[in-house]
Amino acid sequence: MPDAVRGHLDGRVGDFSGVMGLFLCPASRLAELITELIKVKPAKPIALSLVIDTGLGGVPKAVSIVESRSELLALRMVEMPAPSDVDEVWLERVSEFVPEDVIRVVEPRRGGAEWLDGVRRVIEHGSWPKLRCGGLSQENFPSVEEVGDFLTVVSGGGVAFKATAGLHRAVRHTDEQGFTHHGFLNLLVATARSLSGRDVREALASTDAEALTAEAKALSDQAAHAVRGVFASYGSCSLSEPVTDLEGLGLL
């Protein structure tokens, strides 16, 4: 936790502070975060995404704790995994437990047509769906086809989404363990294509960094704004790798 807080605070005032988003913290480690922030005394509250790992019933208490420490934390987002069926009653409780001015992010369990039905229900209830793009095993990495189907549903639903896990690098690549990772630049270009009715899967599968960069740079201000409204956030374990990649591609 000390390293995470220090890295976030340093990134918030560095040359590329504009790319810094929210600090993600599991609800189970909230007390640890608050203890660390009391020590470092941030100049302004940390913008927080609270990751619920204690079950839906733990949301009210966690939200209350954050709101009681407003000098240290500003709650901007609450994200949580959905039950396998993503039922209506559960989604209504999410809406009740999370304050109206806080973004709700819900991750339906991926797999089969039921997964996309769950994504649609999340959208219908006013939450952002979350797309998990990687993890510790091959099953955690969705296929190009699955990501493409997700983007079709989301771009047609007029809502933002958040991506998470496995997106440290800008362009699609295979790591030393043999896992092929999606690139966040691929996802950005694919989102742009989904909004304009073009080939999404080709963009997701591409390893051509120059072509992806050129396509991103060619987006009009209006198109770029529309993409940002859909692909609105992603989580990365690294603060430096995304910036290094974007600098190398001439995008920062």
Side-chain angles (χ1 to χ4, degrees):
M1 188 63 74
D3 290 343
V5 169
R6 189 178 307 109
H8 185 83
L9 292 176
D10 288 347
R12 215 164 61 161
V13 297
D15 290 341
F16 298 116
S17 59
V19 305
M20 178 68 73
L22 306 177
F23 185 95
L24 278 68
C25 182
S28 62
R29 299 188 67 181
L30 193 51
E32 196 180 339
L33 171 60
I34 290 170
T35 298
E36 189 60 31
L37 291 177
I38 289 171
K39 293 178 187 174
V40 300
K41 299 181 176 64
K44 61 180 181 179
I46 295 284
L48 176 71
S49 179
L50 185 62
V51 182
I52 303 300
D53 61 346
T54 53
L56 183 59
V59 173
K61 180 179 179 181
V63 169
S64 177
I65 290 171
V66 173
E67 292 181 337
S68 72
R69 305 310 303 248
S70 59
E71 78 284 7
L72 300 175
L73 296 166
L75 186 61
R76 297 285 181 262
M77 181 181 286
V78 173
E79 46 191 297
M80 65 195 83
S84 56
D85 54 355
V86 201
D87 67 276
E88 306 282 340
V89 174
W90 186 88
L91 287 167
E92 287 293 341
R93 291 184 70 198
V94 172
S95 300
E96 292 170 10
F97 289 165
V98 179
E100 285 187 9
D101 60 344
V102 174
I103 296 167
R104 304 185 302 272
V105 180
V106 174
E107 180 187 348
R109 190 175 301 172
R110 180 172 51 83
E114 298 83 6
W115 168 57
L116 294 176
D117 289 339
V119 171
R120 292 185 184 95
R121 283 195 291 275
V122 168
I123 293 171
E124 289 166 3
H125 278 77
S127 297
W128 292 10
K130 183 197 278 190
L131 176 65
R132 184 169 297 275
C133 293
L136 299 178
S137 66
Q138 190 62 58
E139 299 81 55
N140 296 131
F141 291 80
S143 67
V144 164
E145 291 74 22
E146 287 174 315
V147 178
D149 290 343
F150 176 89
L151 289 177
T152 297
V153 171
V154 172
S155 59
V159 70
F161 76 92
K162 176 171 184 173
T164 188
L167 290 169
H168 307 158
R169 305 297 302 273
V171 178
R172 183 177 178 84
H173 67 283
T174 301
D175 68 17
E176 61 276 4
Q177 294 176 290
F179 295 151
T180 300
H181 292 249
H182 295 281
F184 62 82
L185 181 58
N186 294 79
L187 202 52
L188 185 152
V189 171
T191 301
R193 289 191 182 189
S194 77
L195 292 171
S196 57
R198 293 180 291 140
D199 190 338
V200 170
R201 293 181 181 182
E202 180 189 48
L204 292 169
S206 175
T207 56
D208 188 335
E210 288 187 11
L212 291 166
T213 299
E215 191 166 338
K217 284 183 172 181
L219 291 174
S220 66
D221 288 346
Q222 183 179 5
H225 184 74
V227 170
R228 183 61 183 269
V230 177
F231 180 22
S233 175
Y234 89 91
S236 172
C237 295
S238 171
L239 303 178
S240 60
E241 286 182 7
V243 169
T244 299
D245 274 12
L246 290 172
E247 278 190 293
L249 294 170
L251 288 170
L252 276 182

